[in-house]
Amino acid sequence: MDFKALNFTIFCIGSVAEHLKMNARDVYHRMQDAGIISDYIVPGYDVLHTFSKEYIVEDLVDFMKRKGALA
């Protein structure tokens, strides 16, 4: 993972945590366990980083629900 993808991943985790009013560590573990970071965020960086924060957060929360990382 390069520096830009790492920064974007941190941004995603923090933004989702803020939106869900959860601890960022918990969000990280949920995303990591569901494969969202390695299978979606990092490979999709080139496209995902062009969207708005609101879109990214909604997309990731929905994806977490579909992957069983959120109830």
Side-chain angles (χ1 to χ4, degrees):
M1 174 182 335
D2 67 14
F3 184 71
K4 289 180 183 179
L6 176 61
N7 261 353
F8 181 68
T9 301
I10 293 167
F11 164 78
C12 290
I13 292 167
S15 297
V16 169
E18 180 182 351
H19 175 77
L20 296 174
K21 297 179 181 15
M22 291 177 64
N23 183 297
R25 180 178 293 163
D26 293 336
V27 171
Y28 166 77
H29 286 295
R30 288 171 185 248
M31 286 183 172
Q32 184 70 12
D33 292 345
I36 295 169
I37 294 172
S38 60
D39 297 338
Y40 186 66
I41 295 174
V42 173
Y45 164 75
D46 287 337
V47 174
L48 287 172
H49 86 279
T50 65
F51 293 108
S52 70
K53 178 180 178 179
E54 293 79 18
Y55 177 87
I56 292 167
V57 168
E58 288 177 22
D59 183 52
L60 289 172
V61 168
D62 182 54
F63 196 51
M64 289 176 74
K65 288 177 182 175
R66 285 186 280 141
K67 294 287 260 178
L70 284 177

